[in-house]
């Protein structure tokens, strides 16, 4: 992702793919472009693992579950920061937020740029890079993409007054189920993105070059603007509250996310909720959860149509499909809503990879791996994930893993510091997880769980919640919460931070959190004051 004026030339189609290794277990191997596997990368906005394939009994997500049944699914994948722009910059460059300076302050190679430089036709549909300064206001085009990125025309209406309220008037609401024929342009952004992605797949079917297609879906990001029929899947009487909907007694104020973006919506403003802790009225909490789940099922139909087209075009036997989200989303847990924290509900994400011939057998002639499944069909049965890993992994591993699966040279490990190194990676290569034993004997892949750590972080402007606690500008960051997640615990320290030097001061500890996974899986009982403070944390930092 070069900064403006960096002088890198624009690379068009037809670059020669120098090294392809279809057989897993090797890093590089010379091969022809005709053997190269395509990449379909699906990135979802604000999707926590509220999916059938992750054990959610309420949410109907048959098409994503079907993908999981043919994939290697990581049960414990975590984002490096629970907000859109920093997370996407991090996993699309393979660097941690401290290296990227949270947004984009360096000249770093990106995943699509690397594939483009290795002979792939790279294409972007929907929200892949976060718009704005974090992607040079261009979605990192032309550096990362062979063609200008596509954004759906109806995207501009997402935050406008298109939600019909009980008063019959149009509002800019949080809850926004719509009749699609009545909205501007008669469509929604994710529908348009699916249609565009399918058209690109049709064009690439006859291409001599392999393709890298990234599709970014908006839902379930707020506002919850989705076809109203999906509400029927989730009657309010079936919607429960979060099991821990109160703010925990031991939660440090600096750790709390006051969900200011939620409060800006007209329907939430009408509730006159106190700042910063609320709470939101119970009945409205149910409606938020209902609309989030309905948005997930709507998203699932779009993923289903996209994957069904991959099948119809006979591309399923030559295309790796990676599916993930930029971060999670709190649905009332700890009295919080949205992301903006270091809790599991904000950092835990779905992550799965379908690799033809490896995670599933190659489809035979006429066989469909991904037939479209209707979430309204009550007869459809829940599909179990095909292969699973319980190991803790990080989104920052996406870059080296996709490169390895495609047979490209895996970028080298980053030196310390690496701010001025253009191509390197700070995440682990997950390729070893794709060397399967007999799945009949053990569907869970082995690892050394107590050696694994997932890191995340979140900035704050002050010790107590305020108007910009959720998304402070860089100059306003005074405190950084660094968090370690292991199989046994989540450990977070909030330390003084200098935004000018981008340096943390671990001797200036403002607060801490310690939660034990086995005895406190919801992270409600902070044991930090019973521990040794921040000393252990400094030993575990990467």
């Amino acid at each position: 992702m070069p900064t403006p004026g960096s002088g890198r030339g624009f690379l068009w189609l037809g670059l020669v793919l120098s090294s392809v290794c279809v057989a897993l277990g090797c890093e590089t191997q010379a091969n022809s472009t005709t053997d190269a596997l395509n990449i379909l990368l699906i990135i979802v906005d604000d999707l926590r693992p509220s999916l059938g394939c992750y054990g959610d009994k309420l949410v109907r997500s048959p098409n994503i579950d079907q993908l999981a049944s043919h994939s290697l699914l990581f049960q414990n994948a975590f984002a490096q920061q629970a907000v859109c722009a920093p997370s996407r910059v991090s996993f699309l460059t393979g660097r941690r937020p401290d290296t990227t300076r949270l947004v984009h302050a360096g000249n770093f190679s990106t995943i699509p740029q690397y594939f483009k430089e290795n002979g792939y036709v790279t294409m972007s549909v929907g929200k892949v890079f976060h718009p704005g300064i974090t992607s040079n206001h261009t979605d990192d085009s032309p550096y990362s993409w062979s063609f200008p990125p596509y954004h759906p025309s109806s995207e501009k209406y997402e935050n406008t007054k298109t939600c019909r309220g009980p008063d019959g008037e149009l509002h800019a609401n949080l809850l926004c189920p719509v009749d699609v024929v009545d909205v501007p342009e008669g469509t929604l952004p994710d529908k348009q993105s699916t249609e565009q992605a399918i058209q690109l797949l049709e064009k690439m079917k006859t291409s001599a070059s392999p393709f890298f297609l990234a599709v970014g879906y908006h839902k379930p990001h707020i506002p919850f603007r989705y076809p109203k029929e999906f509400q029927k899947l989730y009657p309010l009487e079936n919607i429960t509250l979060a099991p821990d909907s109160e703010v925990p007694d031991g939660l440090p104020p600096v750790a709390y996310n006051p969900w200011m973006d939620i409060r800006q919506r007209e329907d939430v403003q009408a509730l006159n909720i106190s700042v910063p802790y609320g709470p939101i009225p119970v009945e409205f909490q149910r409606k938020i959860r209902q609309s989030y789940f309905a948005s997930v099922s709507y998203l699932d139909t779009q993923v289903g149509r996209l994957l069904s087209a991959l099948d119809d075009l006979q591309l399923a036997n030559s295309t790796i499909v990676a599916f993930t989200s930029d971060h999670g989303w709190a649905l009332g847990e700890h009295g919080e809503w949205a992301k903006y924290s270091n809790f599991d509900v904000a950092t835990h994400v779905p992550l799965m990879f379908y690799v033809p011939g490896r995670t599933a057998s190659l489809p035979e002639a006429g066989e469909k791996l991904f037939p479209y499944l209707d979430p309204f069909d009550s007869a459809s049965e829940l599909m179990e994930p095909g292969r699973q890993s319980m190991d803790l992994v990080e989104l920052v591993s996406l870059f080296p893993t996709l490169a390895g699966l495609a047979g490209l040279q895996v970028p080298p490990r980053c030196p310390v510091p690496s701010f001025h190194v253009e191509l390197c990676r700070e995440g682990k290569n997950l390729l070893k997880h794709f060397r399967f034993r007999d799945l009949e004997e053990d569907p869970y892949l082995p690892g050394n769980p107590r050696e694994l750590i997932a890191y995340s972080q979140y900035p704050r402007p002050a010790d107590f919640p305020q108007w910009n606690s959720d998304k402070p500008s860089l100059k306003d960051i005074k405190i950084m919460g660094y968090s370690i997640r292991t199989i046994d615990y989540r450990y977070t320290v909030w330390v003084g931070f200098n935004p000018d030097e981008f340096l943390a001061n671990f001797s200036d500890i403002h607060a801490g959190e310690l939660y034990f996974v086995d005895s406190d899986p919801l992270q409600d009982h902070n044991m930090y004051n019973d521990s040794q403070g921040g000393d252990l944390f400094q030993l575990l930092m990467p």
Side-chain angles (χ1 to χ4, degrees):
M1 182 188 288
T3 51
S6 63
R8 181 180 294 268
F10 188 91
L11 301 177
W12 283 98
L13 310 181
L15 294 177
V16 176
L17 185 59
S18 59
S19 59
V20 174
C21 177
V22 177
L24 298 172
C26 58
E27 294 281 301
T28 61
Q29 176 178 313
N31 213 324
S32 67
T33 55
T34 57
D35 293 327
L37 290 173
N38 306 307
I39 305 289
L40 173 58
L41 172 60
I42 302 173
I43 303 171
V44 184
D45 212 344
D46 290 15
L47 177 64
R48 60 195 250 166
S50 291
L51 300 165
C53 53
Y54 279 88
D56 194 300
K57 303 300 183 184
L58 176 66
V59 174
R60 296 191 64 81
S61 53
N63 294 287
I64 298 172
D65 298 343
Q66 180 172 244
L67 172 63
S69 74
H70 299 303
S71 298
L72 170 58
L73 180 146
F74 289 92
Q75 285 282 356
N76 292 295
F78 291 89
Q80 278 48 79
Q81 190 169 334
V83 67
C84 300
S87 178
R88 289 168 187 257
V89 169
S90 173
F91 70 72
L92 287 169
T93 63
R95 313 291 184 98
R96 299 185 185 278
D98 268 359
T99 301
T100 64
R101 308 290 168 93
L102 301 187
V103 284
H104 170 214
N107 183 9
F108 306 134
S109 292
T110 70
I111 298 175
Q113 179 183 356
Y114 188 61
F115 274 81
K116 182 182 176 188
E117 291 171 348
N118 280 278
Y120 278 69
V121 178
T122 57
M123 300 165 287
S124 173
V125 172
K127 184 179 178 181
V128 178
F129 286 100
H130 192 79
I133 186 60
T134 60
S135 57
N136 298 330
H137 298 281
T138 63
D139 291 313
D140 202 46
S141 179
Y143 308 105
S144 287
W145 308 111
S146 302
F147 306 104
Y150 170 84
H151 287 280
S153 58
S154 63
E155 187 179 301
K156 59 181 173 288
Y157 304 110
E158 276 292 281
N159 293 297
T160 61
K161 295 179 183 289
T162 59
C163 314
R164 187 76 61 184
D167 58 1
E169 300 297 321
L170 294 177
H171 299 273
N173 285 344
L174 173 66
L175 310 181
C176 191
V178 298
D179 192 332
V180 176
V181 297
D182 291 339
V183 299
E185 300 188 24
T187 189
L188 295 172
D190 287 344
K191 285 178 172 288
Q192 287 185 288
S193 290
T194 299
E195 292 164 1
Q196 176 68 14
I198 291 173
Q199 289 179 20
L200 291 173
L201 289 175
E202 291 170 347
K203 292 178 181 178
M204 293 308 300
K205 177 177 171 57
T206 57
S207 172
S209 300
F211 66 80
F212 179 105
L213 173 60
V215 181
Y217 285 115
H218 284 263
K219 297 303 116 180
H221 193 287
I222 64 171
F224 299 126
R225 187 167 172 261
Y226 59 91
K228 64 182 182 181
E229 58 266 24
F230 286 90
Q231 271 189 327
K232 298 176 183 177
L233 292 171
Y234 305 99
L236 273 177
E237 59 267 24
N238 294 345
I239 303 298
T240 60
L241 300 179
D244 55 344
S245 59
E246 304 291 328
V247 179
D249 291 337
L251 182 67
V254 70
Y256 186 75
N257 141 43
W259 33 281
M260 298 305 293
D261 58 347
I262 299 291
R263 299 172 187 271
Q264 295 168 7
R265 309 292 164 163
E266 290 183 31
D267 50 351
V268 179
Q269 287 179 348
L271 299 173
N272 196 26
I273 300 169
S274 63
V275 178
Y277 294 109
I280 291 177
V282 167
E283 192 61 19
F284 201 84
Q285 289 189 41
R286 295 183 193 277
K287 290 180 179 179
I288 294 177
R289 291 169 67 87
Q290 175 195 46
S291 276
Y292 184 91
F293 300 144
S295 295
V296 172
S297 291
Y298 162 56
L299 157 77
D300 181 78
T301 63
Q302 301 310 303
V303 173
R305 290 189 169 91
L306 178 60
L307 293 177
S308 179
L310 193 75
D311 250 342
D312 292 341
L313 294 167
Q314 298 180 338
L315 290 169
N317 61 353
S318 59
T319 302
I320 295 168
V321 181
F323 178 94
T324 193
S325 167
D326 50 4
H327 43 71
W329 214 81
L331 284 167
E333 294 86 357
H334 315 110
E336 294 183 318
W337 302 86
K339 46 254 188 180
Y340 314 125
S341 82
N342 281 317
F343 282 119
D344 276 15
V345 289
T347 56
H348 189 199
V349 296
L351 178 65
M352 63 189 79
F353 298 85
Y354 159 72
V355 184
R358 297 296 297 180
T359 62
S361 300
L362 291 173
E364 297 180 2
E367 179 188 4
K368 292 200 68 171
L369 284 181
F370 306 116
Y372 177 77
L373 300 175
D374 188 347
F376 292 91
D377 182 2
S378 59
S380 61
E381 298 181 0
L382 176 64
M383 296 187 182
E384 295 294 330
R387 292 162 169 81
Q388 301 179 64
S389 172
M390 306 305 291
D391 285 358
L392 276 81
V393 299
E394 303 175 292
L395 279 190
V396 76
S397 291
L398 187 63
F399 193 158
T401 303
L402 282 178
L405 289 173
L408 304 182
Q409 178 73 46
V410 175
R413 283 277 198 169
C414 288
V416 179
S418 65
F419 183 75
H420 297 291
V421 180
E422 182 176 329
L423 177 63
C424 66
R425 44 95 180 190
E426 294 181 330
K428 295 180 180 178
N429 182 1
L430 304 180
L431 207 60
K432 68 176 183 179
H433 292 274
F434 294 83
R435 297 168 187 153
F436 303 125
R437 298 187 303 173
D438 187 349
L439 269 297
E440 295 298 326
E441 297 179 5
D442 183 8
Y444 295 96
L445 300 179
N448 298 313
R450 283 181 171 78
E451 297 179 1
L452 301 172
I453 296 175
Y455 299 93
S456 60
Q457 62 190 89
Y458 210 88
R460 297 286 191 228
D463 285 296
F464 292 88
Q466 61 185 44
W467 67 273
N468 63 339
S469 288
D470 294 346
K471 293 187 288 187
S473 61
L474 182 59
K475 65 180 177 59
D476 293 331
I477 297 173
K478 301 295 189 296
I479 303 164
M480 187 69 75
Y482 290 95
S483 193
I484 291 171
R485 177 63 157 83
T486 75
I487 193 173
D488 295 315
Y489 59 81
R490 177 171 287 285
Y491 190 27
T492 305
V493 290
W494 298 88
V495 301
F497 188 83
N498 183 334
D500 296 323
E501 300 294 330
F502 218 88
L503 289 175
N505 181 359
F506 282 91
S507 64
D508 178 23
I509 298 178
H510 290 233
E513 300 169 80
L514 176 61
Y515 309 99
F516 292 102
V517 173
D518 284 345
S519 60
D520 185 21
L522 301 181
Q523 301 170 0
D524 292 317
H525 305 287
N526 183 8
M527 305 298 291
Y528 177 82
N529 289 332
D530 298 331
S531 72
Q532 298 181 11
D535 295 338
L536 176 62
F537 192 96
Q538 294 186 62
L539 296 175
L540 294 174
M541 282 298 291

